[in-house]
PDB file of all heavy atoms in Angstrom:
ATOM      1  N   SER H 248      26.284  11.992  33.674  1.00 88.00           N
ATOM      2  CA  SER H 248      26.621  12.305  34.995  1.00 88.00           C
ATOM      3  C   SER H 248      25.819  13.488  35.576  1.00 88.00           C
ATOM      4  O   SER H 248      25.751  13.678  36.767  1.00 88.00           O
ATOM      5  CB  SER H 248      28.136  12.631  35.199  1.00 88.00           C
ATOM      6  OG  SER H 248      28.423  13.672  34.284  1.00 88.00           O
ATOM      7  N   TRP H 249      25.136  14.256  34.693  1.00 92.00           N
ATOM      8  CA  TRP H 249      24.225  15.349  35.155  1.00 92.00           C
ATOM      9  C   TRP H 249      22.789  14.913  35.209  1.00 92.00           C
ATOM     10  O   TRP H 249      21.908  15.714  35.493  1.00 92.00           O
ATOM     11  CB  TRP H 249      24.368  16.554  34.171  1.00 92.00           C
ATOM     12  CG  TRP H 249      25.676  17.227  34.269  1.00 92.00           C
ATOM     13  CD1 TRP H 249      26.080  18.162  35.074  1.00 92.00           C
ATOM     14  CD2 TRP H 249      26.806  16.960  33.367  1.00 92.00           C
ATOM     15  NE1 TRP H 249      27.376  18.549  34.883  1.00 92.00           N
ATOM     16  CE2 TRP H 249      27.878  17.784  33.776  1.00 92.00           C
ATOM     17  CE3 TRP H 249      27.057  16.098  32.291  1.00 92.00           C
ATOM     18  CZ2 TRP H 249      29.151  17.804  33.155  1.00 92.00           C
ATOM     19  CZ3 TRP H 249      28.278  16.115  31.677  1.00 92.00           C
ATOM     20  CH2 TRP H 249      29.250  16.973  32.111  1.00 92.00           C
ATOM     21  N   GLY H 250      22.550  13.677  35.004  1.00 92.00           N
ATOM     22  CA  GLY H 250      21.194  13.067  35.172  1.00 92.00           C
ATOM     23  C   GLY H 250      20.375  13.339  33.903  1.00 92.00           C
ATOM     24  O   GLY H 250      19.116  13.114  33.902  1.00 92.00           O
ATOM     25  N   ARG H 251      20.973  13.679  32.799  1.00 93.00           N
ATOM     26  CA  ARG H 251      20.281  13.914  31.541  1.00 93.00           C
ATOM     27  C   ARG H 251      20.121  12.558  30.792  1.00 93.00           C
ATOM     28  O   ARG H 251      21.134  11.886  30.705  1.00 93.00           O
ATOM     29  CB  ARG H 251      20.980  14.931  30.660  1.00 93.00           C
ATOM     30  CG  ARG H 251      21.009  16.303  31.328  1.00 93.00           C
ATOM     31  CD  ARG H 251      21.789  17.299  30.419  1.00 93.00           C
ATOM     32  NE  ARG H 251      23.185  16.914  30.251  1.00 93.00           N
ATOM     33  CZ  ARG H 251      24.134  17.653  29.799  1.00 93.00           C
ATOM     34  NH1 ARG H 251      23.853  18.886  29.464  1.00 93.00           N
ATOM     35  NH2 ARG H 251      25.344  17.184  29.643  1.00 93.00           N
ATOM     36  N   TRP H 252      19.039  12.341  30.238  1.00 95.00           N
ATOM     37  CA  TRP H 252      18.739  11.084  29.506  1.00 95.00           C
ATOM     38  C   TRP H 252      19.581  11.050  28.257  1.00 95.00           C
ATOM     39  O   TRP H 252      19.637  12.019  27.477  1.00 95.00           O
ATOM     40  CB  TRP H 252      17.273  10.990  29.164  1.00 95.00           C
ATOM     41  CG  TRP H 252      16.870   9.714  28.433  1.00 95.00           C
ATOM     42  CD1 TRP H 252      16.631   8.493  28.969  1.00 95.00           C
ATOM     43  CD2 TRP H 252      16.695   9.520  27.092  1.00 95.00           C
ATOM     44  NE1 TRP H 252      16.320   7.565  28.023  1.00 95.00           N
ATOM     45  CE2 TRP H 252      16.414   8.148  26.789  1.00 95.00           C
ATOM     46  CE3 TRP H 252      16.800  10.394  25.897  1.00 95.00           C
ATOM     47  CZ2 TRP H 252      16.111   7.691  25.528  1.00 95.00           C
ATOM     48  CZ3 TRP H 252      16.644   9.878  24.677  1.00 95.00           C
ATOM     49  CH2 TRP H 252      16.268   8.576  24.461  1.00 95.00           C
ATOM     50  N   ILE H 253      20.173   9.853  28.042  1.00 94.00           N
ATOM     51  CA  ILE H 253      21.059   9.692  26.778  1.00 94.00           C
ATOM     52  C   ILE H 253      20.297   8.849  25.785  1.00 94.00           C
ATOM     53  O   ILE H 253      20.171   9.211  24.640  1.00 94.00           O
ATOM     54  CB  ILE H 253      22.393   9.038  27.170  1.00 94.00           C
ATOM     55  CG1 ILE H 253      23.227   9.831  28.132  1.00 94.00           C
ATOM     56  CG2 ILE H 253      23.110   8.714  25.909  1.00 94.00           C
ATOM     57  CD1 ILE H 253      24.422   9.229  28.695  1.00 94.00           C
ATOM     58  N   ALA H 254      19.933   7.648  26.256  1.00 94.00           N
ATOM     59  CA  ALA H 254      19.346   6.643  25.280  1.00 94.00           C
ATOM     60  C   ALA H 254      18.648   5.510  26.066  1.00 94.00           C
ATOM     61  O   ALA H 254      18.878   5.281  27.213  1.00 94.00           O
ATOM     62  CB  ALA H 254      20.419   6.116  24.418  1.00 94.00           C
ATOM     63  N   ARG H 255      17.787   4.832  25.300  1.00 95.00           N
ATOM     64  CA  ARG H 255      17.263   3.577  25.760  1.00 95.00           C
ATOM     65  C   ARG H 255      17.904   2.473  24.993  1.00 95.00           C
ATOM     66  O   ARG H 255      17.805   2.466  23.766  1.00 95.00           O
ATOM     67  CB  ARG H 255      15.696   3.598  25.633  1.00 95.00           C
ATOM     68  CG  ARG H 255      15.038   2.379  26.174  1.00 95.00           C
ATOM     69  CD  ARG H 255      13.521   2.564  25.949  1.00 95.00           C
ATOM     70  NE  ARG H 255      12.712   1.431  26.408  1.00 95.00           N
ATOM     71  CZ  ARG H 255      12.329   1.107  27.583  1.00 95.00           C
ATOM     72  NH1 ARG H 255      12.663   2.023  28.666  1.00 95.00           N
ATOM     73  NH2 ARG H 255      11.592   0.084  27.956  1.00 95.00           N
ATOM     74  N   VAL H 256      18.598   1.562  25.634  1.00 97.00           N
ATOM     75  CA  VAL H 256      19.399   0.557  24.946  1.00 97.00           C
ATOM     76  C   VAL H 256      18.763  -0.765  24.966  1.00 97.00           C
ATOM     77  O   VAL H 256      18.004  -1.111  25.906  1.00 97.00           O
ATOM     78  CB  VAL H 256      20.824   0.520  25.482  1.00 97.00           C
ATOM     79  CG1 VAL H 256      21.515   1.915  25.293  1.00 97.00           C
ATOM     80  CG2 VAL H 256      20.866   0.144  26.955  1.00 97.00           C
ATOM     81  N   ASP H 257      18.999  -1.590  23.969  1.00 97.00           N
ATOM     82  CA  ASP H 257      18.451  -2.970  23.946  1.00 97.00           C
ATOM     83  C   ASP H 257      18.910  -3.898  25.046  1.00 97.00           C
ATOM     84  O   ASP H 257      18.121  -4.484  25.664  1.00 97.00           O
ATOM     85  CB  ASP H 257      18.853  -3.589  22.613  1.00 97.00           C
ATOM     86  CG  ASP H 257      18.360  -2.890  21.369  1.00 97.00           C
ATOM     87  OD1 ASP H 257      17.318  -2.107  21.516  1.00 97.00           O
ATOM     88  OD2 ASP H 257      18.952  -2.925  20.265  1.00 97.00           O
ATOM     89  N   PHE H 258      20.228  -3.950  25.246  1.00 98.00           N
ATOM     90  CA  PHE H 258      20.803  -4.810  26.218  1.00 98.00           C
ATOM     91  C   PHE H 258      21.775  -4.010  27.068  1.00 98.00           C
ATOM     92  O   PHE H 258      22.563  -3.254  26.603  1.00 98.00           O
ATOM     93  CB  PHE H 258      21.539  -6.029  25.561  1.00 98.00           C
ATOM     94  CG  PHE H 258      20.657  -6.845  24.690  1.00 98.00           C
ATOM     95  CD1 PHE H 258      20.733  -6.597  23.251  1.00 98.00           C
ATOM     96  CD2 PHE H 258      19.872  -7.800  25.091  1.00 98.00           C
ATOM     97  CE1 PHE H 258      19.973  -7.353  22.410  1.00 98.00           C
ATOM     98  CE2 PHE H 258      19.104  -8.535  24.261  1.00 98.00           C
ATOM     99  CZ  PHE H 258      19.155  -8.309  22.906  1.00 98.00           C
ATOM    100  N   TYR H 259      21.835  -4.357  28.439  1.00 98.00           N
ATOM    101  CA  TYR H 259      22.774  -3.674  29.229  1.00 98.00           C
ATOM    102  C   TYR H 259      23.314  -4.662  30.346  1.00 98.00           C
ATOM    103  O   TYR H 259      22.558  -5.235  31.100  1.00 98.00           O
ATOM    104  CB  TYR H 259      22.181  -2.452  29.954  1.00 98.00           C
ATOM    105  CG  TYR H 259      23.078  -1.576  30.587  1.00 98.00           C
ATOM    106  CD1 TYR H 259      24.223  -1.003  29.887  1.00 98.00           C
ATOM    107  CD2 TYR H 259      23.009  -1.177  31.942  1.00 98.00           C
ATOM    108  CE1 TYR H 259      25.115  -0.129  30.474  1.00 98.00           C
ATOM    109  CE2 TYR H 259      23.865  -0.272  32.573  1.00 98.00           C
ATOM    110  CZ  TYR H 259      24.929   0.217  31.842  1.00 98.00           C
ATOM    111  OH  TYR H 259      25.869   1.069  32.387  1.00 98.00           O
TER     112      TYR H 259
END
Side-chain angles (χ1 to χ4, degrees):
S248 57
W249 291 276
R251 295 177 300 195
W252 181 82
I253 299 172
R255 185 175 176 86
V256 299
D257 299 333
F258 302 99
Y259 193 54

